[in-house]
Amino acid sequence: MSEILLDKFLDIFKNDILPLTIKGVDAGNKIFGAAIINKDDYSLVVAGSNNETENPIWHGEIHTLKKFYELDNIMRPKEKNCIFLSSHEPCSLCLSGITFSGFDNFYYLFPYESTSDEFNIPHDLNILKEVFNITDGKYMKENSYWKSYNINILLNEMKNANKKKLADSFNEIKKTYIDLSKKYQSLKEKNSIPLK
Ligand SMILES: [Zn+2]
C-alpha cells in the first residue's frame, strides 16, 4: 500500500468527509461518511455523509453514491477507475450498494467491532446475523466483485519513518469521530431514524 494513498485518505477524512459529518450530526444524523476518489491521481470526485433523518437508507455510502450519480455522466469517472472510501466498514445495505454500482474495491477506517463497541451502533453486525445468518460480520471480504481493505491494518503494516505521522493523523481523526459519536448518541432520542 502506498504511503501517498494512505496520507491522501486521511486528508480526505479531515478536509472533505468530516466537515460534512459535523453538519450532519448537528442535524441529528449518524457519523458515517464516504468519498469516491480517482484511482489515477487520487483526486476527490465526491464526498458525502449520513443523511438518515431525510431518508433512512441515506447511509454515508449510499448518500455518497447518490451524489456521484447526480454528477453529469460526461464528468463522472467510470466506477472501475475509482476508489471507494468509507469511514466505517459498510453495512449489508452499503455492501450491496457498492457492489451494484460496480466498484471493484472499498477501504474503510473503522471495522464492525469498532462501530458496535466504540461507536455504539450495533445494527451492522445484528442485521448480518438476523437477516443473513452471518456471524461476527464474516462476509466475503474479497470476492469476484471487489476486494475490501481495513485502513487500520494497512497503517499498522507500514514500516517506514512516516508511520508515526500517519498514526498521529489517524488518532486525531478518530478522536473527532468519538466526539461526534458522543454528540449523536446524546441527541438520538429526538431524531426520527427507525434504527438509531
Ligand atoms: Zn450502510
Side-chain angles (χ1 to χ4, degrees):
M1 163 52 67
S2 103
E3 179 191 327
I4 297 166
L5 183 57
L6 282 174
D7 196 41
K8 182 70 187 170
F9 284 166
L10 296 176
D11 221 54
I12 287 173
F13 278 111
K14 258 188 276 188
N15 299 321
D16 300 294
I17 299 174
L18 274 167
L20 297 174
T21 303
I22 289 166
K23 279 190 205 151
V25 169
D26 272 341
N29 293 297
K30 293 200 184 100
I31 59 170
F32 309 117
I36 295 167
I37 304 162
N38 278 300
K39 275 183 187 173
D40 54 0
D41 61 0
Y42 303 158
S43 60
L44 179 74
V45 180
V46 70
S49 198
N50 181 289
N51 193 13
E52 282 183 75
T53 55
E54 188 182 308
N55 180 331
I57 68 165
W58 291 158
H59 288 192
E61 300 90 322
I62 302 292
H63 203 240
T64 302
L65 287 168
K66 174 183 180 287
K67 287 170 79 175
F68 180 72
Y69 289 107
E70 284 167 356
L71 296 173
D72 191 318
N73 72 3
I74 297 164
M75 311 254 307
R76 193 173 66 231
K78 290 274 167 271
E79 295 83 354
K80 292 278 184 287
N81 296 330
C82 293
I83 294 169
F84 198 99
L85 180 65
S86 180
S87 63
H88 294 67
E89 189 167 11
C91 74
S92 46
L93 167 69
C94 298
L95 288 175
S96 293
I98 291 166
T99 310
F100 274 106
S101 304
F103 290 86
D104 65 9
N105 70 85
F106 63 85
Y107 292 76
Y108 56 90
L109 210 45
F110 304 110
Y112 286 147
E113 301 72 37
S114 179
T115 305
S116 174
D117 301 343
E118 293 184 281
F119 297 101
N120 300 307
I121 308 276
H123 313 305
D124 303 349
L125 284 170
N126 290 349
I127 291 171
L128 283 172
K129 177 75 187 80
E130 290 291 316
V131 180
F132 300 96
N133 198 24
I134 292 172
T135 48
D136 303 324
K138 288 193 179 124
Y139 61 89
M140 297 292 285
K141 311 271 169 175
E142 180 176 358
N143 54 59
S144 62
Y145 295 100
W146 39 255
K147 186 171 178 186
S148 64
Y149 303 87
N150 178 335
I151 295 172
N152 250 293
I153 293 175
L154 299 174
L155 282 170
N156 285 331
E157 283 171 355
M158 282 190 56
K159 290 190 171 60
N160 67 36
N162 286 326
K163 183 174 179 174
K164 181 166 180 336
K165 180 179 154 273
L166 290 171
D168 287 348
S169 181
F170 167 76
N171 287 330
E172 193 188 313
I173 289 166
K174 181 166 182 179
K175 189 185 173 304
T176 306
Y177 274 107
I178 296 281
D179 290 345
L180 285 167
S181 170
K182 284 183 189 152
K183 188 168 186 181
Y184 170 76
Q185 293 292 339
S186 74
L187 296 172
K188 73 177 182 181
E189 289 316 321
K190 291 187 205 137
N191 75 37
S192 59
I193 300 172
L195 297 187
K196 294 185 196 294

